[in-house]
Amino acid sequence: MAFSNTYDVTNTGSAVSNREDLTDVLTILAPEETPVLSSAQKQRATATNTEWTVDSLSAPRTTGIVEGDDVIAHTDQFAGRARMGNFTQKFRRDYKVSDLQEAVESVGPARIAQAEAKAIRELKRDIEATLCSDNVKQQAAATVGGVEKPYLMTGLGGFINNSAADDVVPAGFKTPASSIYTTTESATNAFSETAFNDIISSIFEVNGVSNGLVLVADVGLRRVISDFARLSTVSTETSIRNVNYDGGVAAIKLSVELYQSDHGIVSIVNANPDCMPNFGGTTANSSGYLVNPEYYGIHELIPMGSTRQLNNGGGERGFVDCALTLGVYHPQAHGLIQDVK
């Protein structure tokens, strides 16, 4: 039989006088980066339905004009204009701390200021997940039985969609199918560097802009993209990684932050894996958005802020909230990679 009972603190014995060793460290065990929200340009919204117009240019002509020809027909240069829009969605997170918890010493600590700060961090993740979703906008309405529907906004996946509804993306402005990669169950359709460059080339064919693209890549896609810059295609040993090593440097960095494509440099950032959808695919954490930050932005109707509510005797409480929407001004300037194997 053991001489001591250090494990038993509920009965009499030596264990009841043992001190607790609780380190004054609090770690948040969840990813909280918001690259889509952080990189978007911010604008002020003034209504619950934010709208913008889109237009296109006609195909170039090379036929020439006959000498002496008069102009007898004229073109309406604005006939192809269309209007796009998105509803403003409201986000909210509440918090509270009891009066006793506010008074005691704790790791963290765990007081009203820390509760408020944590709610803000959760709110930003809510926004990031909605921006990265394939949600489609919904207008607020009262349904049968008095249950109300809130405003919902269209996410990036709803805009970057070759088959998007016309009230989301008008005909003629939908993202080309060649700018969207979706794998199948066939192993022969595994995502490759050629497929990646095809998407970049497709985007260039539409807007003619080199550089400026940012790939927000989930975990699985990021690992595939990193290998593009490290695989040998000269020999048959395509699985051998080629890495330049400087003998004076102690570490070899394998992370790829920039990708040199045929149509410019693509910046690569890590997506928040908790905020990326899997689009109903078979492989989790394997998708990404290829976006041009110049052609999307956040429109804020109510800026993010905190409101304290009445303390009825139990302790401090309140909530943080905001109302905003996503504007994708040029759906053809972006690409989508889904369910990479």
Side-chain angles (χ1 to χ4, degrees), residues 175-225:
T175 306
S178 54
S179 296
I180 299 174
Y181 172 88
T182 303
T183 191
T184 64
E185 293 300 321
S186 172
T188 59
N189 198 35
F191 190 63
S192 64
E193 187 167 8
T194 299
F196 186 43
N197 277 289
D198 286 345
I199 296 174
I200 299 171
S201 297
S202 176
I203 295 173
F204 178 80
E205 288 174 358
V206 175
N207 65 1
V209 177
S210 296
N211 298 325
L213 291 178
V214 177
L215 176 64
V216 184
D218 211 339
V219 177
L221 176 60
R222 178 61 188 263
R223 294 184 65 179
V224 173
I225 297 293

Side-chain angles (χ1 to χ4, degrees), residues 35-84:
V36 174
L37 175 62
S38 301
S39 62
Q41 51 183 307
K42 307 300 190 297
Q43 299 189 44
R44 183 82 172 91
T46 58
T48 54
N49 185 24
T50 297
E51 296 181 294
W52 57 95
T53 55
V54 290
D55 204 348
S56 60
L57 300 176
S58 60
R61 295 176 180 171
T62 61
T63 54
I65 303 298
V66 175
E67 181 179 355
D69 250 6
D70 291 328
V71 179
I72 58 175
H74 299 81
T75 302
D76 180 1
Q77 291 288 352
F78 308 117
R81 281 191 179 181
R83 180 182 294 188
M84 295 181 60

Side-chain angles (χ1 to χ4, degrees), residues 181 189-200 215 217 220-234 238-243 254-262 266 268 286 290 337 340-341:
Y181 172 88
N189 198 35
F191 190 63
S192 64
E193 187 167 8
T194 299
F196 186 43
N197 277 289
D198 286 345
I199 296 174
I200 299 171
L215 176 64
L221 176 60
R222 178 61 188 263
R223 294 184 65 179
V224 173
I225 297 293
S226 296
D227 274 339
F228 289 168
R230 305 199 297 259
L231 292 180
S232 169
T233 57
V234 178
T238 56
S239 62
I240 298 176
R241 299 187 178 189
N242 296 326
V243 180
L254 297 180
S255 177
V256 176
E257 305 295 338
L258 298 174
Y259 177 82
Q260 179 71 56
S261 74
D262 295 333
V266 178
I268 303 173
S286 58
L290 191 58
I337 303 169
V340 168
K341 290 188 175 182

Side-chain angles (χ1 to χ4, degrees), residues 89-96 112-127 302-309 316-324:
Q89 182 169 334
K90 191 167 185 178
F91 299 86
R92 179 189 294 162
R93 285 279 182 165
D94 57 81
Y95 56 90
K96 65 178 180 179
I112 193 65
Q114 287 72 36
E116 181 182 49
K118 183 179 179 182
I120 292 174
R121 293 157 78 176
E122 291 177 337
L123 188 71
K124 291 178 64 179
R125 280 167 39 106
D126 294 343
I127 297 171
I302 301 177
M304 187 180 298
S306 179
T307 301
R308 293 288 179 89
Q309 294 180 290
E316 295 292 332
R317 62 199 65 204
F319 63 88
V320 293
D321 68 344
C322 66
L324 53 82

